[in-house]
Amino acid sequence: MKSKSILKDMTPYKPGKQIEEVKEEYGLTRIVKLASNENPFGFSDKVAEFFSNHQSMLNIYPDGYTAKLRKALAEKLNISENQLIFGNGTDEIVQLIGRAYLYPGVNTVMASPTFPQYKHNALIEGADVKEIPTINGYHNLTEMFEAIDDNTNVVWLCSPNNPTGAVIPPDDFFTFMEKCPSDVLVVLDEAYFEYVEEEQRLNVSANIEKYHNLVVLRTFSKAYGLAGLRIGYGIAHQAIIPRLDVVRGPFNTSTIAQEAALLAMEDDEFLQSSIMRNRAIKKSFEKSLDSLGWGYFDSQTNFLLISTPISGDEIFQFLLKNGFIVRSGEGLGAPNTIRVTIGQETDMQELQELLFTLDKRISEGLAP
């Protein structure tokens, strides 16, 4: 059987180590997972209460139009219902954009490092990939614009950027949009939008009518704490949505995910509490890194990309043996770094102590 030839040169997504796997491998009883940028504070009590008192009809297919959530979200964002598309996380919408707009003979422009699924899906569809190095974690929009040519179909912007956490300044973004050819699709991935401080938010949903070539991606996986249910959404001009719907599966988001997202969206108290707790704990963790002398990238997210004195893989292994799962930057295109999700306050304090111990070993010339 013959598959696409590019698949022989690619590897499947490799998820981080799971908690039970690490416990068994290292003989540990407690593991703190800080690798996947999940919300350590859980999810809304309204979601928990609903599923304690209601039983979803699991034998019935979900609403393929996502009508209830669509109506509520459109009202919240002050947009039309036909300007929304829902996906099995924003990962699926990235895939849908690739299927609809990328193919052999066209190219796509993106930052490096950035969310790897942009490149992954582009290669599968046969498109050429142009990667523009970031500057101190920030998108180099000048060079990204210069990389656009007559064969460019999609430009990917990730703000805040994963894995660096840096946001695109609003003025720079809108300048880019004004210059970008109107026949080039610009995808603005705002998976961490809720964590961004108000004055640095792009708030582009109101500009969808102005920029017919813009797609904004957001998710309920991060700040809302619904990562296990996999539901995200895209906002775009009504002319774009039908093209994405054509390549979308008819029942791509589950009934449970739709119900949970609707309830989570209504619980602003939980959302704001998570955001403020994240900021306070992150600030404290940054101070500890300052005293340690380890650098880190400016981040408007629930994670930090930390510069390390030795390989990120070595730091990863040391922390793993001590019960902490983080993400090595080596596989993210950021050598000598680790990406750490901001966790519970006590867990982050314990992590700080481990890093001080590790730094001392390194300074003494000892192995991690």
Side-chain angles (χ1 to χ4, degrees), residues 241-258:
I241 298 299
R243 292 180 173 86
L244 299 180
D245 270 331
V246 167
V247 295
R248 176 180 65 84
F251 304 110
N252 63 326
T253 61
S254 71
T255 300
I256 295 175
Q258 292 178 28

Side-chain angles (χ1 to χ4, degrees), residues 38-203:
E38 296 145 334
N39 188 335
F41 312 119
F43 50 87
S44 169
D45 288 342
K46 292 185 178 181
V47 176
E49 181 182 358
F50 178 85
F51 288 116
S52 296
N53 300 312
H54 295 77
Q55 193 169 31
S56 295
M57 299 176 66
L58 300 182
N59 59 315
I60 304 298
Y61 282 112
D63 173 12
Y65 186 65
T66 325
K68 288 171 61 179
L69 179 59
R70 180 184 298 271
K71 183 176 186 297
L73 190 56
E75 290 177 355
K76 180 176 181 178
L77 298 174
N78 193 29
I79 60 174
S80 301
E81 292 183 26
N82 61 1
Q83 293 176 323
L84 287 167
I85 186 168
F86 294 87
N88 187 340
T90 51
D91 300 61
E92 185 190 22
I93 305 178
V94 170
Q95 184 182 49
L96 298 180
I97 292 168
R99 291 186 68 186
Y101 289 94
L102 297 177
Y103 45 86
V106 304
N107 66 64
T108 181
V109 178
M110 63 193 66
S112 177
T114 194
F115 186 51
Q117 290 303 299
Y118 310 149
K119 181 178 181 179
H120 184 84
N121 285 287
L123 292 176
I124 290 174
E125 300 300 337
D128 292 326
V129 175
K130 295 184 177 183
E131 296 180 277
I132 308 302
T134 58
I135 301 175
N136 296 323
Y138 289 85
H139 283 55
N140 185 341
L141 292 183
T142 299
E143 288 197 12
M144 291 184 74
F145 173 75
E146 292 172 353
I148 296 173
D149 59 28
D150 292 340
N151 294 320
T152 303
N153 265 22
V154 181
V155 174
W156 303 89
L157 304 178
C158 190
S159 183
N161 189 33
N162 184 2
T164 66
V167 296
I168 297 173
D171 288 347
D172 293 352
F173 171 79
F174 289 112
T175 298
F176 180 87
M177 289 302 301
E178 291 296 328
K179 294 192 302 181
C180 184
S182 59
D183 61 345
V184 174
L185 189 70
V186 178
V187 183
L188 176 64
D189 188 344
E190 293 188 311
Y192 299 91
F193 172 80
E194 291 79 11
Y195 289 109
V196 178
E197 294 178 2
E198 191 69 34
E199 64 274 12
Q200 296 195 52
R201 290 183 179 180
L202 294 175
N203 289 320

